[in-house]
Amino acid sequence: LVTADPEFADLIPPFLDNCRREAAAMKKALELQDYAAIAASSHKLTGAGASFGFQPLSDESRLIETAAKSADAASLRDHLEAISLYLERVSVVYP
């Protein structure tokens, strides 16, 4: 459960949809061993997640970026699964 600033109420649903697309794209990139693409995508999510108040998304994205830079496929699989589960389960409330 994430409590978000009501000012972002119109921006958060499309943001989360984009994050889900990015997570799917990173999984595809992992199949292709395109670690540079994974690092680039995860870097974008790291900053954006924190900006909108989704710190777990940022934290996991940072771990993905680190794993991508070291071409650690096993770690990438684990972290990509974690980020996908987070994005499936996250609920947003506006005070």
Side-chain angles (χ1 to χ4, degrees), residues 10-69:
D10 291 340
L11 301 174
I12 288 177
F15 165 72
L16 290 173
D17 287 342
N18 182 60
C19 289
R20 290 178 186 105
R21 285 190 298 276
E22 288 287 339
M26 287 190 285
K27 285 181 178 181
K28 284 261 192 226
L30 179 57
E31 291 173 15
L32 302 171
Q33 298 180 346
D34 188 350
Y35 300 111
I38 297 168
S41 289
S42 60
H43 183 78
K44 288 187 288 185
L45 292 181
T46 299
S51 296
F52 281 109
F54 295 90
Q55 193 59 48
L57 176 66
S58 289
D59 295 342
E60 203 62 46
S61 295
R62 189 172 294 110
L63 294 171
I64 291 169
E65 183 176 7
T66 300
K69 287 180 178 178

